[in-house]
Amino acid sequence: MCGIVAYVGEKKATPILIDGLKRLEYRGYDSAGIAVFGKEKIECEKKKGRIRVLEDSLSVDYPEGNAGIAHTRWATHGAPSDLNAHPHWDCNKKILIVHNGIIENYIDLRKKLKKAGHAFNTETDTEILAHLIEEHLKNEKSLFEAVRKALNEVHGTYGIAVMSEEHPGEIIGAKNGSPLIIGIGDDEHFIASDVSALLPYTRRVVYPRDGEIIRITKDAFEVRSIKSKEEATSKVEKVEWSSDMATKKGYPHFMLKEIFEQPLVIRNAIAGRIIPEEGLAHLGGLNYTVKELLQVDRIMICAMGTAYYAGLVGKYMIEELLGIPVDIENASEFRYKRIILGKNTMSFVISQSGETADTIAALREIKRKGHRVLGVSNVAGSTIARDTDGGIFVHAGPEIGVASTKAFVAQIAVLVLFAVKMGRHRDMTVEQGKEITEALVKIPAQIESILEKSDEIKKIAEKYKDVEDFLYMGRKFNFPIALEGALKLKEISYIHAEGYPAGEMKHGPIALIDKTFPALFVAPKDSVYDKTINNIQEIKAREGDVLAIGSESDTELPKMVEDFIAVPETIEVLEPLLTVIPLQLLSYHLAVLRECDVDKPRNLAKSVTVE
Ligand code: F6R
């Protein structure tokens, strides 16, 4: 949430900053702003709306200086407006700041600063930081020191970039609970919320830790502790992603591109991790010895949103294959309740971005209690990737569409590998291990065959484009898919959709059903097929329209329902990897038909870095 980019170097800062903002736009898109050193002073421009509105508003004589900061906003304190957009400034408009996060003690600080004579222009928590730095600069020559001292008075989360007219050629950044990285170029340095902003310019990055402050100039960077000023160890790392991976590659939307990438994503997630002749999976990063794996008697998975639903699929799968109980916890709830973990509980956090605030807080809480935590993450260098004690990278490549798709299937694929690995150290036979891994290897081609039905699914979407509600139902492995399908639908097409276990239907939701309220069933031919068919009949008896996702070999279900989308058959535990695909395509086509902004749905942003 909120994207920050900053540049100091030899090139013109403005085009780099605007391009960086466009690459970060998925982090927030209600307003944007930029500040660049001009000949005599810093020029700042900010606008409510998308980055293109800001870009269009920049006059032809907007400064061509070599240093600047920029921001794309997802509003927390203060409604989206030109005024509340970042950068914010001090009383003299000489210190400018962009911020991602929430300053929790801003009311007290604001009172104190007002008493000292500072005048505020906006309703934001961020503005107090500019004034606080101004206050410290009264007794401090160094901008770095003034920012550091100001931050020592602040409680909350922040990723910031600060520049000052009196301190040209340097930008100060700092991080606490919000993502921030340093990019290292030739005679230039960058600060950004994530690597996507920097991919065309550099792939050499440093990942500062929480509680660290950064100074970048054209020639150098330094990282120190905010508290003690002590120099921090900072390793330069190479980003594996290429600039090309973060483009639409001819697709109209990132979401569609990412849906179509899924066969490749699964191939990458499992590449080199299966030992076929032994029906075994190899996961090097778990950092658990076989002895320790054998001691695990409970697994706890914690995540948010789509990652939570991937965890729920994991729960069904691991319990079925391993007979180990699995708790799945919503991180935002988990972090505030009493945490009961046994000494042999294995804990996982799942997060595509690796920066979700609630998931990070849950991870820290588990560690505080003295337990190890494993991560399932897509972003190397992210907080979750660094702060966990081991884990599994999903290797899905950059996910830019706000609605998560490819990360979901990659998360499930690696959980399958985990279940096979764990199982084979326990009582899973070679045959069963082989059966699962062989079926998993076939999944990418099976997904390709579902993707070929995109036009067919679009035709079905045309029939449903004006409905305002949908009930999504499934059982067992497909219950999480009903939840995920309903989430995809509501977040990008704004159709109200609820996901339920099909068996729950008669306990309330069926009251909603009438001619205008269709139901979607995920009903492949598996161990709960007959039960789901009963539920479908009950909806039909109440004149509800039914759209079903079912097996290719099913000749009966298509006759029962208004619309049917067939998926290839696989073993039951892997069904979610196939049944979710038509649901992603259905939401995509419905959103496009309803003229919604698929990649930037209203009120949402990718990577929820505030709680
Ligand atoms: C939904 C979606 C969100 C994320 C959730 C967790 O399409 O994208 O629900 O899944 O915000 O994000 P990560 O996985 O980055 O922790």
Side-chain angles (χ1 to χ4, degrees):
M1 264 161 181
C2 295
I4 290 175
V5 53
Y7 175 82
V8 196
E10 292 191 327
K11 300 189 188 119
K12 289 176 189 167
T14 307
I16 294 174
L17 295 174
I18 293 289
D19 179 55
L21 285 188
K22 286 182 184 163
R23 291 168 183 278
L24 292 180
E25 198 168 15
Y26 60 84
R27 303 183 66 93
Y29 31 84
D30 58 42
S31 49
I34 183 169
V36 171
F37 271 99
K39 282 206 178 68
E40 280 157 20
K41 57 187 188 86
I42 297 173
E43 295 286 350
C44 177
E45 193 64 49
K46 39 195 213 164
K47 281 274 169 254
K48 180 179 172 190
R50 299 286 162 91
I51 287 149
R52 104 183 97 72
V53 179
L54 172 72
E55 193 179 14
D56 291 346
S57 75
L58 296 182
S59 58
V60 278
D61 53 356
Y62 190 74
E64 297 196 339
N66 309 118
I69 57 177
H71 187 269
T72 179
R73 180 170 188 242
W74 187 91
T76 57
H77 293 60
S81 66
D82 288 0
L83 196 64
N84 287 336
H86 298 213
H88 291 287
W89 49 74
D90 64 327
C91 296
N92 297 315
K93 219 176 165 179
K94 285 184 186 292
I95 301 160
L96 286 101
I97 178 164
V98 290
H99 168 222
N100 167 22
I102 296 178
I103 305 302
E104 279 160 11
N105 57 338
Y106 84 103
I107 295 177
D108 290 346
L109 288 170
R110 198 177 164 112
K111 265 191 213 148
K112 186 178 127 182
L113 288 161
K114 268 191 172 170
K115 239 187 188 165
H118 292 263
F120 289 83
N121 285 310
T122 73
E123 304 147 34
T124 65
D125 55 333
T126 304
E127 193 189 351
I128 66 107
L129 276 175
H131 291 275
L132 201 56
I133 296 165
E134 180 185 23
E135 194 60 24
H136 281 282
L137 271 174
K138 287 180 184 163
N139 311 311
E140 239 341 305
K141 281 209 174 72
S142 143
L143 178 62
F144 185 90
E145 265 310 280
V147 176
R148 194 183 72 77
K149 287 185 175 159
L151 292 176
N152 273 305
E153 290 189 53
V154 160
H155 305 303
T157 54
Y158 48 81
I160 55 167
V162 186
M163 63 199 288
S164 149
E165 223 160 84
E166 314 283 317
H167 303 80
E170 67 174 322
I171 291 173
I172 310 300
K175 162 177 167 45
N176 192 45
S178 299
L180 205 76
I181 60 164
I182 306 171
I184 297 156
D186 298 327
D187 298 320
E188 58 188 7
H189 286 91
F190 306 78
I191 292 173
S193 296
D194 69 51
V195 290
S196 328
L198 306 184
L199 290 175
Y201 310 102
T202 182
R203 285 161 75 184
R204 284 183 294 145
V205 298
V206 170
Y207 299 103
R209 306 195 76 85
D210 282 346
E212 289 181 346
I213 181 165
I214 304 152
R215 177 171 177 267
I216 58 165
T217 62
K218 175 172 88 64
D219 304 310
F221 72 91
E222 63 174 306
V223 184
R224 290 180 181 271
S225 153
I226 295 173
K227 221 177 190 166
S228 68
K229 207 179 156 183
E230 219 169 279
E231 193 158 357
T233 43
S234 36
K235 194 166 127 229
V236 179
E237 296 185 38
K238 174 111 196 291
V239 177
E240 295 302 327
W241 294 350
S242 65
S243 165
D244 173 55
M245 285 165 97
T247 61
K248 286 190 202 153
K249 290 196 181 151
Y251 284 92
H253 298 98
F254 278 110
M255 183 184 178
L256 191 65
K257 176 199 154 208
E258 287 159 9
I259 290 174
F260 274 78
E261 273 177 351
Q262 291 178 117
L264 177 66
V265 162
I266 295 191
R267 287 188 182 107
N268 288 341
I270 64 177
R273 287 172 162 172
I274 291 176
I275 306 163
E277 60 287 0
E278 291 175 48
L280 205 62
H282 170 72
L283 295 168
L286 289 181
N287 298 337
Y288 264 65
T289 62
V290 173
K291 196 169 162 215
E292 287 169 334
L293 285 179
L294 289 171
Q295 281 163 353
V296 172
D297 59 9
R298 195 167 200 98
I299 292 173
M300 196 282 301
I301 303 176
C302 203
M304 297 297 289
T306 289
Y308 174 90
Y309 296 145
L312 189 53
V313 173
K315 170 183 165 68
Y316 277 84
M317 197 168 60
I318 293 165
E319 287 183 345
E320 179 89 3
L321 294 175
L322 306 180
I324 300 177
V326 181
D327 301 313
I328 168 84
E329 301 272 3
N330 175 293
S332 68
E333 286 298 312
F334 180 83
R335 62 184 289 189
Y336 291 118
K337 69 186 183 82
R338 185 166 169 192
I339 294 177
I340 308 162
L341 296 172
K343 93 173 175 335
N344 295 322
T345 303
M346 182 184 224
S347 302
F348 273 101
V349 288
I350 305 181
S351 173
Q352 185 284 127
S353 61
E355 297 295 351
T356 296
D358 285 314
T359 312
I360 293 172
L363 148 65
R364 299 215 163 121
E365 206 47 45
I366 302 168
K367 289 190 83 160
R368 196 166 294 131
K369 306 273 183 289
H371 297 270
R372 273 193 270 179
V373 191
L374 299 176
V376 172
S377 168
N378 188 32
V379 183
S382 64
T383 305
I384 286 180
R386 282 179 297 143
D387 287 4
T388 39
D389 302 291
I392 318 171
F393 278 114
V394 301
H395 300 307
E399 192 180 64
I400 311 279
V402 166
S404 184
T405 51
K406 63 176 181 174
F408 179 72
V409 295
Q411 286 156 355
I412 296 175
V414 302
L415 288 173
V416 174
L417 295 180
F418 168 75
V420 171
K421 178 176 169 61
M422 265 303 248
R424 292 286 288 113
H425 289 306
R426 295 172 167 243
D427 57 1
M428 186 184 285
T429 60
V430 190
E431 284 69 33
Q432 200 187 0
K434 278 187 176 173
E435 188 200 8
I436 299 166
T437 49
E438 280 165 14
L440 184 60
V441 169
K442 287 188 191 141
I443 292 286
Q446 293 179 309
I447 294 181
E448 271 154 12
S449 77
I450 303 172
L451 294 173
E452 281 166 17
K453 297 185 179 173
S454 181
D455 286 344
E456 182 191 319
I457 295 171
K458 187 175 170 190
K459 282 208 183 87
I460 295 175
E462 272 158 16
K463 282 175 64 178
Y464 291 94
K465 79 175 181 5
D466 296 321
V467 304
E468 286 310 322
D469 309 278
F470 237 119
L471 204 54
Y472 274 50
M473 281 170 286
R475 280 175 186 265
K476 211 172 168 184
F477 295 104
N478 286 302
F479 159 51
I481 296 306
L483 295 175
E484 169 60 7
L487 174 63
K488 284 292 90 87
L489 188 65
K490 61 190 147 200
E491 68 182 329
I492 60 165
S493 74
Y494 318 139
I495 295 174
H496 164 233
E498 293 189 44
Y500 273 101
E504 179 71 13
M505 189 183 92
K506 292 197 285 291
H507 298 270
I510 198 167
L512 294 167
I513 295 296
D514 64 16
K515 273 187 160 53
T516 67
F517 200 132
L520 183 147
F521 279 88
V522 190
K525 280 197 144 184
D526 58 16
S527 64
V528 287
Y529 173 76
D530 292 343
K531 302 285 166 201
T532 314
I533 296 298
N534 292 341
N535 297 128
I536 293 177
Q537 294 293 6
E538 286 155 0
I539 296 275
K540 296 301 313 159
R542 281 151 190 91
E543 301 196 324
D545 282 351
V546 173
L547 160 53
I549 313 297
S551 301
E552 272 172 359
S553 65
D554 194 337
T555 50
E556 291 309 310
L557 182 54
K559 293 183 208 152
M560 261 178 247
V561 297
E562 277 61 39
D563 295 287
F564 181 78
I565 305 168
V567 294
E569 261 122 298
T570 182
I571 55 171
E572 191 170 3
V573 286
L574 299 188
E575 279 172 357
L577 289 169
L578 300 180
T579 50
V580 74
I581 311 294
L583 301 190
Q584 296 169 340
L585 284 168
L586 181 70
S587 349
Y588 172 78
H589 289 304
L590 279 166
V592 172
L593 289 165
R594 289 163 69 95
E595 295 179 6
C596 301
D597 191 342
V598 172
D599 284 336
K600 298 185 193 73
R602 72 180 176 213
N603 305 337
L604 289 174
K606 204 162 182 73
S607 191
V608 184
T609 53
V610 291
E611 82 170 285

